[in-house]
Amino acid sequence: MRKIKSLLLLFIVLSFTTAVQAQTNEVSAFEQTMRGNGRIYVVIAVMTTILVGLFLYLIRLDRKISKLEKN
Amino acid sequence: MNRKKNTFAQWWWKILCIVLLLFTFIKGLTVKIPNLPALEETSRNLFFHVGMWMAMMTLFTVSVVNSIRYLRTFNLKYDIYARQYSVMGIIFGLLGYATGAIWMSYTWADPNNPLFQSFGALAREPKLIGAAVALLIYFAYLVLRDSISDMDKRARISSVYNIFAYAMLFPSIWIVPRLLPSLHPGQEGNPAMNFNDVIPEMRMVEFPAFVGWALLGVWITTLKIRLSLVKEKRMNA
């Protein structure tokens, strides 16, 4: 059940990012920052995503070990 | 209520670690840095490459403290602590080495020379040799510890060795590289820690980065320690 939930969450996040990419005709402030300044913010977004992913993995591991300790 | 407090006490530094590292990654790439010759934008590596070494020093220090605690109490728990902290220290050391290799290829190496010639010059860097020696001493610690099957003997011998290894860390990475000519910064002091060498904007990212990396190392190590303690308990049960 939890696995399905997390997969669903991942899907929602992914669809959200594609939705942001789909808005090309009107330039939002978000788009402007992402495209300005040599597009360095794109790199930051990628790096932050990796970091957050690793942190989520660490937190999951932490929780799992806590459960192991209880039994 | 009491339980909630406990969970907060367990989690606050992990949250701090996440916040500090996210800050490092975002601010580290956007903060305005002085345009130095040869370094240019690579000065941002201060937050990442130097952070690895700071985390390594922290982990090795915690490791040696736990070795001393073992020798004072003969509680095998502390030996496990010491081993896991030194393993994580080695991992951060290797990451520091690898990141340093990338950084130096684009700042020290002369692009006009063939690669092997540059390598010949760079391999003589005392700081590199010193760091390699320090890491090899810690590899030997792991080999020594894991090759003794008697638990008490293993703990005692490896704890004593760990203290020697930590003592060797200082000449090999702090003292000797400073006595020899080197391209590596830090010849005449601690440029990263000196308040006059780093502009305040960078210092604002630098210290959170160091703390964040060290906390990340401690976090991963505590997970490994808890896992091996659970394993130990299962084996004895």
Side-chain angles (χ1 to χ4, degrees):
Chain A
M1 189 61 208
R2 270 183 86 181
K3 216 164 211 176
I4 298 170
K5 248 189 215 164
S6 50
L7 276 177
L8 206 69
L9 195 72
L10 184 73
F11 178 72
I12 291 167
V13 170
L14 282 179
S15 52
F16 172 74
T17 46
T18 41
V20 169
Q21 279 167 357
Q23 293 175 334
T24 36
N25 31 6
E26 53 188 85
V27 181
S28 61
F30 176 74
E31 274 280 279
Q32 264 179 351
T33 34
M34 288 305 267
R35 283 180 190 280
N37 228 334
R39 300 195 202 185
I40 187 68
Y41 292 101
V42 180
V43 182
I44 293 174
V46 169
M47 287 172 77
T48 317
T49 311
I50 293 172
L51 202 64
V52 168
L54 287 176
F55 280 138
L56 287 177
Y57 177 71
L58 256 186
I59 291 166
R60 253 176 66 95
L61 215 60
D62 201 317
R63 289 235 166 112
K64 267 187 187 169
I65 293 171
S66 298
K67 232 184 241 166
L68 263 180
E69 278 171 334
K70 267 179 204 150
N71 308 327
Chain B
M1 188 63 212
N2 199 16
R3 216 181 140 220
K4 214 171 191 178
K5 243 182 204 164
N6 271 339
T7 43
F8 180 73
Q10 279 167 1
W11 278 92
W12 71 267
W13 58 275
K14 295 172 186 172
I15 294 164
L16 181 71
C17 165
I18 294 173
V19 170
L20 287 179
L21 281 184
L22 282 175
F23 174 78
T24 306
F25 271 61
I26 295 168
K27 201 74 188 161
L29 288 184
T30 50
V31 70
K32 249 196 126 40
I33 53 165
N35 192 359
L36 298 170
L39 277 177
E40 292 168 43
E41 292 281 347
T42 68
S43 331
R44 295 184 198 282
N45 274 347
L46 173 68
F47 314 132
F48 304 99
H49 165 74
V50 186
M52 294 294 114
W53 297 110
M54 292 296 160
M56 185 196 80
M57 278 309 293
T58 314
L59 294 169
F60 281 164
T61 307
V62 178
S63 172
V64 79
V65 166
N66 277 303
S67 278
I68 294 167
R69 266 162 100 190
Y70 169 75
L71 290 173
R72 286 171 67 98
T73 60
F74 290 118
N75 185 344
L76 282 170
K77 187 176 81 179
Y78 295 126
D79 179 52
I80 293 173
Y81 283 17
R83 191 210 183 249
Q84 302 292 13
Y85 274 108
S86 60
V87 168
M88 206 34 77
I90 287 173
I91 291 176
F92 273 88
L94 288 175
L95 285 174
Y97 218 88
T99 50
I102 299 169
W103 195 1
M104 85 178 176
S105 327
Y106 297 99
T107 46
W108 292 353
D110 187 349
N112 302 317
N113 285 344
L115 193 66
F116 68 91
Q117 246 177 43
S118 298
F119 180 77
L122 297 180
R124 274 176 225 152
E125 271 303 313
K127 198 104 175 180
L128 265 69
I129 298 168
V133 168
L135 286 175
L136 284 172
I137 289 170
Y138 273 91
F139 285 143
Y141 165 70
L142 295 186
V143 173
L144 177 75
R145 189 186 180 280
D146 295 349
S147 64
I148 303 170
S149 50
D150 183 75
M151 259 167 54
D152 293 295
K153 211 187 224 174
R154 172 172 72 193
R156 217 170 303 170
I157 293 174
S158 59
S159 295
V160 173
Y161 182 85
N162 194 16
I163 296 168
F164 282 127
Y166 189 72
M168 265 312 282
L169 197 60
F170 286 85
S172 61
I173 69 172
W174 295 109
I175 301 168
V176 173
R178 244 157 241 190
L179 300 174
L180 300 165
S182 168
L183 282 169
H184 196 284
Q187 205 55 36
E188 56 300 299
N190 290 313
M193 308 301 271
N194 192 327
F195 283 91
N196 299 321
D197 279 353
V198 181
I199 62 162
E201 286 85 348
M202 281 180 86
R203 221 184 301 136
M204 282 291 291
V205 187
E206 183 194 348
F207 286 103
F210 291 171
V211 176
W213 286 119
L215 282 177
L216 181 70
V218 173
W219 186 0
I220 300 171
T221 321
T222 52
L223 292 185
K224 291 187 60 165
I225 288 168
R226 283 161 61 192
L227 206 58
S228 50
L229 286 178
V230 168
K231 237 191 238 165
E232 199 93 331
K233 220 164 104 192
R234 293 254 165 111
M235 261 188 0
N236 294 335

